Amino acid sequence: MEQIKVIAERNDWLVVDKPSGLPTVPLKSDGPEKDTLLSRLGEAYPEVLSVGRNPWEGGVLHRLDTPTSGLVLVARTQRAFDDLWEEQRHDEIVKTYLAVSSKRLSPLPVGFVPFPFGDITLGRTVIRSLFRPFGEKGRVVRPVAEDSPSALRGKSTGIWYETEVEFLGKDGTTCRFSCVITQGFRHQIRCHMAWAGYPLDGDVTYRGLPEKPFGLTAQELQFIDPETGKRVRCVRPEA
């Protein structure tokens, strides 16, 4: 079993590096034997299992999708969890991802409305949308734009989510982007990138190239340390 790498450790919190393919936390219906980032971390730091809002999520402040790798913030005390949860609610926890796409998607898949924000390779772009469930049992999502029909808006989250995208460059057919979010919704970056016409490598759910490694890594976290009140910046070491 692969040991979880701890990137930063304080009395109140940890920043850890989740490998691709490992769930962040179990589902509510899963048993405690489910292999997750939380269960592995709990072997060395058992206190993270007994804090939080839901017992199956422990002190984990935010999830990464199973195929996504990178940094996760985990509270070690209830006080730290409560403070960091409030930070997250007020957009004070900033998450930066590296997104990789080697495919230009055209036309857009069924359920996507036209992309209204232009070519994301021309500079910095803020992609903003609501989300609605889509497909079998709503397992995936589709964006809802400001000019979408009211019937779509009525089925959506009711909350607007933003992904700030910056084009970092191109190597052959492979494009790299920086994606910054605060509060995040399920599949947010994956869906927004596909909507822009650049599905993530390996993300077959949103029509990315199947033979590639999954093209989304949480590279950086910024937040306010609950104990010191100072802003913390954690960066994932280069592999």
Side-chain angles (χ1 to χ4, degrees), residues 66-88:
T66 296
T68 303
S69 58
L71 302 185
V72 177
L73 177 60
V74 185
R76 301 178 69 181
T77 67
Q78 189 62 46
R79 182 185 66 82
F81 182 92
D82 293 341
D83 288 349
L84 290 167
W85 187 266
E86 283 301 307
E87 285 185 37
Q88 188 157 246

Side-chain angles (χ1 to χ4, degrees), residues 3 23 27 35 37-38 47 49 92 119 121 132 139 153-155 162 183 188 190 193 197-198 205 210 233:
Q3 191 172 13
L27 300 174
D35 184 25
L37 173 76
L38 179 63
E47 66 276 11
L49 302 174
E92 293 173 333
D119 186 348
T121 65
R132 65 185 177 96
R139 289 190 176 124
R153 294 199 301 271
K155 299 175 183 177
E162 293 185 351
Q183 296 186 62
Q188 176 175 328
R190 297 166 61 181
M193 290 299 294
Y198 291 89
T205 299
R233 177 175 177 261

Side-chain angles (χ1 to χ4, degrees), residues 30-75:
D30 291 330
E33 69 280 356
K34 174 81 171 181
D35 184 25
T36 65
L37 173 76
L38 179 63
S39 67
R40 293 189 192 182
L41 195 59
E43 294 179 3
Y45 301 91
E47 66 276 11
V48 303
L49 302 174
S50 58
V51 301
R53 302 176 74 199
N54 300 309
W56 62 91
E57 295 178 319
V60 172
L61 270 301
H62 57 101
R63 301 185 185 199
L64 298 182
D65 291 336
T66 296
T68 303
S69 58
L71 302 185
V72 177
L73 177 60
V74 185

Side-chain angles (χ1 to χ4, degrees), residues 155-170:
K155 299 175 183 177
S156 67
T157 53
I159 299 173
W160 294 92
Y161 292 90
E162 293 185 351
T163 304
E164 183 179 305
V165 180
E166 182 178 3
F167 180 56
L168 300 178
K170 187 173 184 179

Side-chain angles (χ1 to χ4, degrees), residues 104 118-125 165-167 175 177 198:
R104 193 73 174 96
D119 186 348
I120 64 172
T121 65
L122 297 181
R124 186 167 296 183
T125 306
V165 180
E166 182 178 3
F167 180 56
C175 294
F177 301 86
Y198 291 89

